[in-house]
Amino acid sequence: MEQPIAVTRQSFDDWMVPVYAPADFILVRGEGSQVWDQQGKSYIDFAGGIAVNALGHAHPVVTAALVEQAGKLWHLGNGYTNEPVLRLAKQLIDATFADKVFFCNSGAEANEAALKLARKRALDQGNSSKNQIVAFNNAFHGRTLFTVSAGGQPKYSKDFAPLPGGITHTPFNDLAAAADVINDNTCAVIVEPIQGEGGVLPADPAFLQGLRELCDRHNAVLIFDEVQTGMGRTGDLYAYMQYGVEPDVLTTAKALGCGFPIGAMLTTDELAKTLGVGTHGTTYGGNPLATAVAGAVFSIINTPEVLDGVKQRHQWFLDGLNKINQQYPIFSEIRGGGLLIGCQLTKDYAGKAKQITQLANEEGVIALIAGPDVVRFTPSLIIPEQDVKEGLARFARAVARICS
Ligand SMILES: *Cc1c(COP(=O)(O)O)cnc(C)c1O
């Protein structure tokens, strides 16, 4: 056999389009909530591939589902349906408000479908001026041109103008500001129940409730982007369940495949009719390999053991992080839900989130940032207590270094 090509971190700079700046080591293996690099150094994984690996690495049941399906059928194209996709659709429908599902490959694609559905629905209702979309400052909805324009961070979209029009942004959690711009020409409102990339900012219950009422009053589609909050991350299957506010469309991805690329848009019978045969689609959407994996993932996550376990683990993290903060006061607020936790840095440490996660890497723990001033944790939903303790001990050493 031919020797594999030798690769180092330098190879990234040599060969890859430089849209990312990855860490200066290469991970080669994972098991549960631990990963190892090329040199054999171990890390506790508090990032979970950015809220993706909800069952950690190499979960035996998920791996078995992948291997079993890999020996049967990988792909057919949408001219032929398949068993795993139909089973996954039924699982999602039975567990949520939804009656119908559209599958795709990523969070951005799920949001793209949701926004297209909303525009077409208004047009089908005979109102060609009802095409306005309301979104929120600092939101993140993906990187396609439509979703990056719906996102509320102009730095991600401005270089790609002209952007799709008809999108208005208002401040998150400001219901009065939203009420000022939502009217009969609004076809959709898109919102994250907890803004993830924007800094781990939970929506106020009254804000989501108010958006629901405004959408009802103006016949607009309420879209919850649960790509990050979805599939157990907050301790409920989806965050809307905690808020007691039902959207018309929900988008999900990340944890749904636990690392196998898949996304989905969930909606009602009435709205699903909008996207008739030929109006939308994607080659890989609902592919049997991806949906077999997601079906196994869903069966594990949608259980009281895992969902209650998330709430318990939230407390372990809070206790540990508060203790660190008592010794080295660098956080002004620790917030979020379940295992989507954001630590806001005090003024003295503003802008240092990246540096803290780099020191954390050196100490053997992987954490995330959510903007320059927030350290974010999105570990596996089933991370063992021992790994939480060890990871926080390592993180504490990184914090001690930034404080010294
Ligand atoms: C990650 C994310 C997306 C984009 O998902 P991709 O799979 O990267 O396209 C969209 N919305 C939210 C809330 C996210 O966190």
Side-chain angles (χ1 to χ4, degrees):
M1 251 206 11
E2 233 184 291
Q3 284 292 314
I5 296 167
V7 290
T8 64
R9 173 61 180 78
Q10 180 60 39
S11 315
F12 183 94
D13 296 338
D14 293 342
W15 303 333
M16 304 291 278
V17 173
V19 291
Y20 311 113
D24 58 7
F25 52 92
I26 297 183
L27 297 168
V28 294
R29 189 168 68 83
E31 197 182 314
S33 285
Q34 291 191 55
V35 287
W36 288 268
D37 70 14
Q38 285 179 318
Q39 279 68 45
K41 176 178 165 184
S42 102
Y43 303 77
I44 304 288
D45 186 3
F46 281 172
I50 317 188
V52 168
N53 304 316
L55 298 171
H57 300 273
H59 189 286
V61 175
V62 181
T63 304
L66 174 69
V67 170
E68 193 197 330
Q69 188 59 40
K72 272 194 203 160
L73 190 65
W74 288 28
H75 181 79
L76 293 164
N78 289 303
Y80 304 85
T81 193
N82 65 76
E83 292 180 347
V85 75
L86 298 173
R87 293 195 181 111
L88 178 61
K90 182 77 165 103
Q91 285 175 300
L92 288 165
I93 288 165
D94 283 349
T96 65
F97 74 97
D99 311 306
K100 291 279 196 293
V101 187
F102 169 79
F103 288 105
C104 50
N105 313 290
S106 67
E109 279 179 85
N111 286 328
E112 184 88 18
L115 296 171
K116 284 175 73 175
L117 184 156
R119 283 257 172 97
K120 183 168 183 302
R121 173 177 175 264
L123 191 68
D124 289 353
Q125 289 177 343
N127 190 344
S128 60
S129 52
K130 189 178 178 67
N131 53 31
Q132 297 294 304
I133 292 162
V134 173
F136 298 96
N137 295 345
N138 271 320
F140 185 80
H141 300 300
R143 300 288 200 140
T144 65
L145 198 58
F146 201 175
T147 58
V148 85
S149 306
Q153 300 198 49
K155 67 170 189 237
Y156 291 141
S157 59
K158 65 179 176 35
D159 295 344
F160 306 104
L163 303 176
I167 305 172
T168 305
H169 294 93
T170 64
F172 186 65
N173 272 338
D174 184 341
L175 188 59
D180 275 347
V181 295
I182 297 172
N183 56 42
D184 288 343
N185 284 333
T186 306
C187 68
V189 174
I190 183 167
V191 64
E192 296 159 88
I194 301 176
Q195 284 193 336
E197 301 306 308
V200 190
L201 292 159
D204 297 332
F207 179 63
L208 294 187
Q209 188 60 50
L211 293 180
R212 176 70 277 173
E213 283 157 21
L214 287 164
C215 285
D216 288 342
R217 188 173 323 146
H218 297 288
N219 184 28
V221 174
L222 180 61
I223 303 166
F224 280 0
D225 178 348
E226 294 229 30
V227 170
Q228 190 150 162
T229 52
M231 287 282 283
R233 175 87 17 219
T234 65
D236 279 285
L237 187 66
Y238 288 102
Y240 84 83
M241 297 170 176
Q242 284 178 9
Y243 281 95
V245 180
E246 271 186 20
D248 302 302
V249 174
L250 181 152
T251 56
T252 179
K254 292 201 165 98
L256 178 60
C258 266
F260 202 100
I262 182 170
M265 178 191 72
L266 279 55
T267 189
T268 59
D269 271 327
E270 189 240 316
L271 268 69
K273 290 192 191 97
T274 304
L275 296 180
V277 175
T279 57
H280 190 57
T282 170
T283 296
Y284 292 119
N287 149 312
L289 208 49
T291 50
V293 171
V297 170
F298 183 94
S299 300
I300 298 170
I301 291 182
N302 193 32
T303 55
E305 300 79 67
V306 170
L307 296 175
D308 292 345
V310 170
K311 293 169 187 144
Q312 190 180 20
R313 283 161 177 76
H314 175 81
Q315 203 52 50
W316 297 344
F317 268 89
L318 246 55
D319 292 348
L321 290 166
N322 278 318
K323 224 162 111 194
I324 292 169
N325 205 34
Q326 273 157 24
Q327 200 175 355
Y328 310 102
I330 65 164
F331 303 136
S332 57
E333 187 183 24
I334 301 172
R335 59 180 180 243
L339 289 172
L340 175 51
I341 297 170
C343 302
Q344 179 80 44
L345 295 168
T346 61
K347 279 203 184 67
D348 289 349
Y349 293 92
K352 295 208 164 143
K354 187 79 212 173
Q355 203 186 332
I356 291 171
T357 61
Q358 282 163 347
L359 290 171
N361 286 340
E362 289 180 21
E363 296 296 334
V365 60
I366 297 182
L368 290 170
I369 63 170
D373 307 328
V374 176
V375 178
R376 175 172 43 150
F377 300 98
T378 58
S380 158
L381 307 184
I382 56 171
I383 183 170
E385 189 168 16
Q386 186 49 40
D387 287 351
V388 176
K389 282 206 171 116
E390 177 59 28
L392 286 172
R394 294 177 187 185
F395 184 71
R397 293 202 280 276
V399 171
R401 283 171 64 190
I402 200 105
C403 292
S404 63

